[in-house]
Amino acid sequence: MTSDLRSRNFTNKLLVMLSIICAIMVANLYYDQVLLTDISNYFSIAASSSGKLATSIQIGYTLGLLFIVPLGDRFSRKPLIILSMIGSAVLLYLMTLVSTFNLMVIAGFFMGLSSVTAQLIIPFVSSNISSAKRGSIVSHLLTGVFLGVLLGRVLGGVVGQLLGWRAVHELAAIVVLALAVYLFYTLPQDQISKENSYKNILLSLPPLLKKEKVLRETIVFGAAAFVHSIFFGSLCPFRKQSLSLWQCRSWNLWFLRCSRCNSGRICRETC
């Protein structure tokens, strides 16, 4: 099947929905960063210990990037995308049912592990669409990823303040599950040939880091974005008297502008 023919399977509506799904799935990783004070109060633990939850989610997410995302080169990405969304929705809801904070930390780890949908969607779309459209479309998907970082904190803070931290997880689980059903019926099949060995896929990752300059630059930017996430996302709820709402919002808007510019530059160089 030619790239032009494959591109017809991705309507503008579907591409917009995929960008939104990227934002929502990334947001799952950041809801709890603004809810840590409420969660620590609910479980009657010290605020200093509540950071274990955010850490476990990020560790799970990192391991998902390393070991689950490469499965897309071995198996069709469509079922992987849908399964990752279902797993994330189930674990988001499970986090509201646990009786102890330690169990919530464990559930958060597996929720982060499964929330790699955006990183499955981007290569799925880029490999199944014509090269003429690839740069623009991938740029929009990456923008959805960066928006998800901000969306998670905004929605987590607003909904958590109005309805409580459990409602944030429950609403997120419902939305993600509904979107998984939508993709089951609308997402086209993966038309790309696959590798035969998962082991060889994993072993091919280190040489890529040495070979690809853009990949190294992206990793540096990702590390900088993570530092922003920690200092101006997780710490804002604990530093209300030192950092005003305007200061936190200004840093987030600056981060969004930089993210949009960087995603466009990377796509121009690689696509």
Side-chain angles (χ1 to χ4, degrees):
M1 183 178 291
T2 66
S3 60
D4 289 337
L5 186 57
R6 291 199 304 263
S7 298
R8 296 175 191 171
N9 295 324
F10 290 91
T11 63
N12 290 334
K13 178 183 177 181
L14 177 57
L15 291 171
V16 169
M17 287 300 300
L18 288 173
S19 296
I20 293 172
I21 290 170
C22 285
I24 290 173
M25 293 307 298
V26 171
N28 291 342
L29 303 167
Y30 295 95
Y31 294 131
D32 289 325
Q33 289 190 4
V34 294
L35 299 171
L36 290 178
T37 52
D38 294 335
I39 293 172
S40 62
N41 291 335
Y42 177 84
F43 288 105
S44 300
I45 61 170
S48 58
S49 299
S50 64
K52 294 177 182 178
L53 176 60
T55 301
S56 70
I57 292 173
Q58 293 299 328
I59 291 174
Y61 178 58
T62 302
L63 293 177
L65 294 177
L66 288 174
F67 297 109
I68 294 180
V69 172
L71 285 172
D73 291 327
R74 178 67 181 86
F75 304 103
S76 173
R77 286 191 175 93
K78 179 177 179 177
L80 290 175
I81 290 169
I82 295 170
L83 286 173
S84 70
M85 295 179 71
I86 294 173
S88 182
V90 170
L91 287 159
L92 278 167
Y93 183 69
L94 184 62
M95 292 173 73
T96 68
L97 302 178
V98 295
S99 57
T100 67
F101 180 72
N102 287 334
L103 288 176
M104 189 174 188
V105 170
I106 295 172
F109 169 83
F110 287 105
M111 189 275 290
L113 185 71
S114 64
S115 295
V116 292
T117 308
Q119 286 70 31
L120 291 168
I121 287 175
I122 292 173
F124 174 74
V125 174
S126 64
S127 59
N128 284 279
I129 206 163
S130 65
S131 57
K133 300 179 180 179
R134 189 175 299 149
S136 174
I137 291 172
V138 172
S139 178
H140 283 89
L141 293 174
L142 286 172
T143 300
V145 171
F146 294 124
L147 277 172
V149 179
L150 307 184
L151 180 68
R153 296 196 179 97
V154 173
L155 292 181
V158 172
V159 177
Q161 191 172 29
L162 294 175
L163 302 175
W165 67 269
R166 275 197 170 95
V168 176
H169 289 77
E170 291 167 352
L171 290 173
I174 292 171
V175 170
V176 170
L177 197 59
L179 291 172
V181 174
Y182 170 80
L183 289 186
F184 179 80
Y185 289 104
T186 60
L187 201 63
Q189 295 297 326
D190 197 350
Q191 303 293 335
I192 302 302
S193 59
K194 302 299 179 180
E195 299 291 335
N196 295 323
S197 172
Y198 176 65
K199 178 181 178 181
N200 290 340
I201 294 171
L202 293 179
L203 293 176
S204 70
L205 297 179
L208 280 177
L209 184 61
K210 181 179 180 181
K211 179 182 178 182
E212 299 292 343
K213 178 183 177 182
V214 175
L215 177 60
R216 295 194 297 271
E217 292 176 351
T218 305
I219 290 174
V220 171
F221 177 80
F226 184 76
V227 170
H228 166 274
S229 168
I230 296 299
F231 284 98
F232 298 102
S234 301
L235 295 184
C236 272
F238 296 101
R239 301 283 294 176
K240 291 179 181 178
Q241 296 180 354
S242 299
L243 292 173
S244 67
L245 176 61
W246 181 86
Q247 288 173 306
C248 292
R249 183 176 61 185
S250 297
W251 275 106
N252 282 331
L253 290 174
W254 171 84
F255 170 68
L256 175 60
R257 287 194 294 269
C258 291
S259 301
R260 174 62 173 162
C261 294
N262 188 77
S263 63
R265 183 184 67 81
I266 291 172
C267 289
R268 286 194 301 272
E269 292 185 12
T270 59
C271 298

